[in-house]
Amino acid sequence: MTGGPEDLTALKKRLRADLLRRREHRGGEGRARAALNRCLALRASWAGVRVGVYLGFGHELDPLPLVRALVHRGAVVGLPVVVRNRHPLVFRRYLPNVLMQQSGFGISEPGVRARPIRPDLVLAPLVGVDRTGTRLGYGGGFYDRTIERWRRRGHHPEIIGLAFEAQFVPRLPAGRHDVRLHGLITEAAFRRFT
């Protein structure tokens, strides 16, 4: 391998396929519940905390029960919205009565009337993560672009991955645009990355 961008893209694609197969067989409602309970234990009070959370699809850990619990505890919850391909995400406020729409990826997201928020904490989806906090996503770069834009504008939210333990691996390749996580929550542990 020459180590160029094409090689990194191909390597990530192979790793992504392997990790998605691994996740498919390691999920489960009990494991998901344990991870979501770890999330709720991060703070004594969630009142007023602006939290960005995703809605899961496929074999992803589904945080919908967490979203509802956070809203119930007074958090200001925002769900990611893909405005355009290759652009940063917008997090729009989720409330139980908010009008939802289907994204181009088949994921429910708040409609255009929902107010945008800028999260203090983002619970990010991932395909894999390593012990340094390198996150492997789905390949669209949406979270990396979004976080990089916030940082350029002086906003530095805490970014915590939410996944199953089977998605934690020793080492992943990282490109110069890949954003590292501050932590990872799984059904087995909460890890802090430096």
Side-chain angles (χ1 to χ4, degrees):
M1 290 183 102
T2 64
E6 296 82 12
D7 294 331
L8 181 61
T9 300
L11 176 59
K12 284 183 174 184
K13 186 176 181 178
R14 285 192 305 273
L15 287 168
R16 192 174 290 116
D18 180 55
L19 285 164
L20 286 171
R21 276 191 301 277
R22 184 188 302 190
R23 182 180 74 188
E24 187 175 330
H25 303 291
R26 298 290 175 96
E29 192 175 317
R31 286 188 173 120
R33 193 176 320 108
L36 300 180
N37 287 338
R38 283 187 197 288
C39 285
L40 290 174
L42 283 177
R43 296 177 185 255
S45 172
W46 286 96
V49 179
R50 295 172 301 176
V51 185
V53 190
Y54 64 97
L55 292 183
F57 72 99
H59 295 283
E60 215 167 40
L61 191 151
D62 182 11
L64 184 57
L66 175 65
V67 167
R68 291 177 176 147
L70 289 170
V71 169
H72 181 73
R73 286 167 169 79
V76 177
V77 175
L79 299 177
V81 175
V82 176
V83 179
R84 283 196 338 219
N85 199 19
R86 300 194 182 281
H87 282 74
L89 297 166
V90 172
F91 282 80
R92 290 194 185 134
R93 179 123 188 229
Y94 170 83
L95 291 166
N97 62 349
V98 73
L99 182 63
M100 300 291 278
Q101 63 190 25
Q102 288 289 104
S103 75
F105 297 99
I107 301 169
S108 290
E109 55 188 29
V112 294
R113 292 190 175 174
R115 183 172 59 88
I117 72 159
R118 206 163 57 167
D120 304 308
L121 167 67
V122 175
L123 297 171
L126 54 92
V127 174
V129 62
D130 71 14
R131 61 181 149 228
T132 68
T134 298
R135 172 187 172 270
L136 180 66
Y138 290 92
F142 289 104
Y143 278 83
D144 295 326
R145 271 191 296 280
T146 304
I147 294 161
E148 184 57 36
R149 172 186 256 184
W150 286 337
R151 288 178 178 170
R152 280 195 320 268
R153 295 178 177 187
H155 181 61
H156 300 273
E158 185 174 18
I159 313 297
I160 302 215
L162 186 57
F164 293 113
E165 189 68 18
Q167 295 170 256
F168 182 65
V169 296
R171 186 151 191 246
L172 288 171
R176 63 186 181 100
H177 295 294
D178 291 331
V179 174
R180 293 190 190 275
L181 301 175
H182 296 107
L184 172 69
I185 293 175
T186 71
E187 75 276 15
F190 171 51
R191 294 176 179 87
R192 233 340 132 194
F193 303 120
T194 55

